[in-house]
Structures are given as structure tokens and as C-alpha cells.
Amino acid sequence: MNEYNYVSIAMLICAAFVYWRRVRTYDKAALRAKFPTVSGSVVSSVVKEEVHEDNDKDTGYSRTVSYVPVIRYAYSIDGRSYENDRYAVLDQPGSSNMNLAQAIVDRYPPGSAVTVHYNPASPDDSFLDNRMDGKKVDWITWFMVGVL
């Protein structure tokens, strides 16, 4: 076996692992999307700017900016109050385009009523948006298949 065979096998294993992780993530999110709901209200709603800087001696300096909608909401279950800021059932949305994050924030002005999805086993585990985009195989998986 030459070194190309080893590299191919390693990449195949990586692709399979990435695919398995993504399917597992989507399956967990699909279960979470079915959590019971309770009414809540928005406490605050802002766009947070996250700056990531890297000053690597080999690649040089790089700076990226990501805009993340942060919607803080309050809700009560069985007389106990909770607050959280998790927005989506999948990954928290973030974008290099501030307008996309602002559009989400604009849908949730402070004081507005929201539907909160919560984990009955752990009521402090909650989120607002339970939409699933319906694809278990995303661009990361296709990229790995393409590399192979």
C-alpha cells in the first residue's frame, strides 16, 4: 500500500465521521423541535458583533466579524421563572451580514410575546425557533464527498 491509499482511507473515515455527526445533530434537533411550548416574553433583543482576530506568523493577520442575534426571553413553568437567549433548535444563527441578524432581532422587539419550546426534563433548556431546514446532508458533507 502506498501513501495515497493511506490518505484516501483517512479521508474516507473523516467524511464518514462528519456525515455521522451531522446526521446525529439533525436527529437530536428533530427531537428537540417537538418539545412542549409555553408563552414567554422578550426581555431584550440586540445584534451582537463578534470579532475574531488571528495573527498567525505563517498566514498573517486576519480579522473576521460575525453578527449574532441575541434575543433574551423570560418564561415560567410550574410557577418557576426562567430566562434564556438560545434562539434556534439547531446552531445559533450568525452571519457576516448584519442585515440578516438584524432581521431576526426585528421580529422580536422587547416586550413582545413569544412561544418558547422547552425541555420538560430540564425546563431551563429552551429555544424560540423550532424550524428544521429538512436536510440532514449539508454542504460540509458534500464538500467531504467532493474531496474524496
Side-chain angles (χ1 to χ4, degrees), residues 6-148:
Y6 291 121
V7 170
S8 296
I9 291 169
M11 291 187 75
L12 181 62
I13 290 170
C14 286
F17 177 74
V18 168
Y19 176 77
W20 173 79
R21 288 281 301 181
R22 294 309 288 178
V23 167
R24 189 168 166 243
T25 298
Y26 278 89
D27 286 347
K28 281 183 176 182
L31 289 174
R32 290 176 52 83
K34 297 174 185 172
F35 280 170
T37 61
V38 66
S39 295
S41 64
V42 176
V43 175
S44 64
S45 182
V46 297
V47 174
K48 178 181 171 188
E49 179 180 286
E50 294 182 350
V51 177
H52 306 281
E53 296 183 9
D54 186 20
N55 195 7
D56 189 275
K57 68 177 182 173
D58 295 327
T59 60
Y61 176 78
S62 68
R63 182 178 190 264
T64 57
V65 178
S66 179
Y67 300 96
V68 179
V70 180
I71 296 100
R72 186 130 196 100
Y73 52 91
Y75 58 101
S76 295
I77 299 171
D78 295 330
R80 185 157 182 210
S81 298
Y82 299 93
E83 277 194 25
N84 202 349
D85 63 2
R86 180 166 179 85
Y87 171 70
V89 66
L90 283 169
D91 301 325
Q92 289 291 83
S95 173
S96 60
N97 182 342
M98 184 176 168
N99 293 332
L100 294 176
Q102 188 64 49
I104 293 172
V105 165
D106 289 346
R107 286 186 288 188
Y108 299 96
S112 63
V114 290
T115 299
V116 178
H117 302 264
Y118 70 94
N119 182 347
S122 180
D124 59 335
D125 175 18
S126 63
F127 56 91
L128 296 178
D129 187 358
N130 74 335
R131 289 179 290 158
M132 297 281 296
D133 60 9
K135 57 181 180 181
K136 286 186 179 179
V137 180
D138 59 6
W139 72 268
I140 295 171
T141 306
W142 286 117
F143 174 76
M144 290 302 294
V145 169
V147 167
L148 289 175

